[in-house]
């Protein structure tokens, strides 16, 4: 009597990078489907920046001195880069609240039980938030055109400016991811994601010329990563607000914006993935 033994061959594991990308896209798709089924998430996200555009343009427009003039039309063009940048950074709160909600409901534990890359859960979530941010920027740009905002450069430079804005927004969603993993409830993540954004966005050149601030505050504003992106967008849009500051980020705003955003992504993605592993261990 002879026995025949069949050898079961286990396929070798795939390329880790390919698997991570594939898993991230799957999670991103899941979050995008969820957003499409809850349209009020997108609608409410659009209301606040539109209100900022209208209020700042028509309430403060005639009282702001930009490039030696108080013309409200000049201020509207000066303002829009700041509003765009503020809008993409405020996506931080949504990213943090979404991840905290997934943690609270146990969804992260379900993902952890699947054979998928650990960082894919967070990367997929931030990619979905990036798509929502891009949609918000598009609608906001249409509103800006209606109130008188115009660009005065080539289409390539305009697209480059929006690329810098999306990169900044993506960088800040990783800050939100870390906050979402560090708190216990979505409500705490929302509060924690917003409270520090107000000084970051207002102690900057977004709404006023930083040269009119007190010296110590001007230095803070000029070296603020948020200010670098705002200044880069003004230059790429051809909008008023040429900086007279000698600070390196203001003199090389495009490069400063790229460097700041990449550093934020590298630092906070590393911290977030490490926090995710320890939180689900």
């Amino acid at each position: 009597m002879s026995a025949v033994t069949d050898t079961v061959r286990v396929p070798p594991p795939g390329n880790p990078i390919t698997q991570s990308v594939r898993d991230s896209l799957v999670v991103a798709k899941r979050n995008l489907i969820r957003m499409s089924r809850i349209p009020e998430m997108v609608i409410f996200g659009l209301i606040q920046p539109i209100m900022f555009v209208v209020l700042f343009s028509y309430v403060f427009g005639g009282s702001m001195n930009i490039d030696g003039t108080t013309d409200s039309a000049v201020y509207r063009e000066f303002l829009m880069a700041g509003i765009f940048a503020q809008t993409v950074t405020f996506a931080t709160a949504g990213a943090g609240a979404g991840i905290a909600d997934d943690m609270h409901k146990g969804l992260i534990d379900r993902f952890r039980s699947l054979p998928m890359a650990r960082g894919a859960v967070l990367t997929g979530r931030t990619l979905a938030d990036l798509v929502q941010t891009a949609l918000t920027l598009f609608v906001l740009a249409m509103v800006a055109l209606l109130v008188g905002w115009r660009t005065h450069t080539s289409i390539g430079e305009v697209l480059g400016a929006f690329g810098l804005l999306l990169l900044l927004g993506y960088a800040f969603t990783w800050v939100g991811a870390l906050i979402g993993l560090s708190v216990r409830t979505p409500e705490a993540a929302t509060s924690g994601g917003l409270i520090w954004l107000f000084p970051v966005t207002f102690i900057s050149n977004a709404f006023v010329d930083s040269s009119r601030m007190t010296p110590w505050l001007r230095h803070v504003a000029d070296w603020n990563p948020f200010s670098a992106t705002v200044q880069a967008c003004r230059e790429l849009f051809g909008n008023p607000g040429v900086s007279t500051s000698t600070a390196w980020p203001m003199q090389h705003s495009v490069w400063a914006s790229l460097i700041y955003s990449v550093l934020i992504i590298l630092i906070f993605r590393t911290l977030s993935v490490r926090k995710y592993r320890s939180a689900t261990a």
Side-chain angles (χ1 to χ4, degrees), residues 29-277:
K29 181 180 178 181
R30 172 255 175 191
N31 282 284
L32 289 173
I33 293 174
R34 180 189 179 193
M35 291 176 186
S36 66
R37 292 175 178 172
I38 313 176
E40 54 267 29
M41 292 176 60
V42 179
I43 295 173
F44 291 154
L46 288 171
I47 292 176
Q48 179 176 302
I50 291 174
M51 288 177 59
F52 271 115
V53 171
V54 175
L55 290 174
F56 276 84
S57 297
Y58 294 103
V59 176
F60 302 110
S63 60
M64 296 292 186
N65 190 319
I66 304 298
D67 292 348
T69 179
T70 56
D71 186 352
S72 59
V74 174
Y75 181 68
R76 279 195 291 272
E77 292 199 352
F78 171 88
L79 171 71
M80 283 316 304
I83 294 292
F84 288 146
Q86 184 190 55
T87 300
V88 300
T89 55
F90 271 37
T92 301
I99 291 174
D101 187 50
D102 288 344
M103 291 282 291
H104 184 68
K105 292 179 178 178
L107 186 62
I108 297 295
D109 291 333
R110 297 178 196 172
F111 280 133
R112 183 173 177 267
S113 66
L114 299 175
M116 61 188 301
R118 289 294 180 88
V121 175
L122 302 179
T123 302
R125 174 72 207 197
T126 55
L127 288 175
D129 289 327
L130 181 63
V131 173
Q132 182 179 356
T133 300
L135 175 62
T136 303
L137 269 183
F138 175 78
V139 175
L140 190 58
M142 297 301 102
V143 175
L145 290 172
L146 291 177
V147 301
W149 172 70
R150 296 292 184 271
T151 60
H152 308 281
T153 52
S154 67
I155 185 65
E157 290 172 301
V158 172
L159 292 176
F162 281 111
L164 289 177
L165 288 167
L166 290 175
L167 184 63
L168 179 71
Y170 184 67
F172 272 59
T173 57
W174 281 108
V175 180
L178 182 61
I179 293 173
L181 292 168
S182 303
V183 298
R184 297 182 179 180
T185 64
E187 293 78 12
T190 301
S191 300
L194 286 175
I195 193 169
W196 62 274
L197 280 175
F198 284 101
V200 168
T201 55
F202 282 94
I203 305 177
S204 70
N205 59 356
F207 309 110
V208 297
D209 187 349
S210 62
S211 65
R212 299 182 178 277
M213 299 179 181
T214 57
W216 71 270
L217 202 59
R218 181 173 66 248
H219 291 307
V220 174
D222 289 344
W223 285 91
N224 184 346
F226 181 82
S227 294
T229 298
V230 172
Q231 188 60 35
C233 289
R234 287 194 181 119
E235 294 178 6
L236 293 172
F237 288 146
N239 289 160
V242 177
S243 177
T244 58
S245 171
T246 58
W248 188 87
M250 295 297 99
Q251 294 298 314
H252 307 85
S253 57
V254 174
W255 280 108
S257 177
L258 284 170
I259 293 171
Y260 276 137
S261 294
V262 171
L263 283 177
I264 292 172
I265 292 172
L266 291 176
I267 293 171
F268 282 92
R269 188 185 188 281
T270 301
L271 294 175
S272 297
V273 173
R274 184 178 300 172
K275 183 71 176 178
Y276 171 79
R277 288 174 176 171

